[in-house]
Amino acid sequence: MNSKRYSRQRELIYETLIHTTEHPTAEMVYHWLKPENPSLSLGTVYRNLKLLADDGRIARMAFPVERYDANITPHPHFRCDRCGAVYDIDLPYEKDIDRAAEEASGHQIRVHEVLCRGVCVKCRKEETRSS
Ligand SMILES: [Zn+2]
Ligand SMILES: [Zn+2]
């Protein structure tokens, strides 16, 4: 395995992200880079995006897969970085954020979603038990 080649691809992927505001998926990055880099594989893109995110050089959007919720009233969510569990957070909806976002962007805001991330109650308990 040639690690130099892999780090070069990682920098290429990083450069691509710097020059876009599209918040691309791994597939999008792959399709952008593939024509100029025939040896690039989708797996390499996934792996390098993950490494960049783990290093804190890029941000990972919080919902990696589509989630479904029967509660259609907008409400904040919490997602555990350890186990991936998603919980509701019982807080009132902040209409002020919609208004402020509309003023700041000119977009018509219908709803905003709040996602908190961290370590869930269950994982925290397991942590204290094992330490
Ligand atoms: Zn957890
Ligand atoms: Zn929910």
Side-chain angles (χ1 to χ4, degrees), residues 78-87 118-124 126:
F78 170 86
R79 180 169 168 268
C80 180
D81 286 336
R82 298 273 158 84
C83 68
V86 175
Y87 298 91
V119 183
C120 76
V121 175
K122 229 178 103 200
C123 289
R124 286 183 70 186
E126 271 161 32

Side-chain angles (χ1 to χ4, degrees), residues 3-20 29 33 37 40 44-45 47-53 55 57-58:
S3 66
K4 235 197 191 101
R5 196 180 113 219
Y6 285 111
S7 66
R8 194 188 64 78
Q9 288 181 330
R10 181 146 63 249
E11 292 315 306
L12 186 68
I13 289 164
Y14 182 60
E15 282 295 310
T16 306
L17 280 183
I18 285 177
H19 293 107
T20 181
V29 172
L33 293 177
N37 302 272
L40 191 71
T44 302
V45 175
R47 198 169 49 247
N48 282 299
L49 285 170
K50 191 185 175 304
L51 282 166
L52 287 165
D55 287 350
R57 294 177 69 193
I58 61 171

Side-chain angles (χ1 to χ4, degrees), residues 68-71 73 75-77 86-89:
Y68 302 92
D69 194 344
N71 183 358
T73 308
H75 55 278
H77 286 104
V86 175
Y87 298 91
D88 288 340
I89 296 178

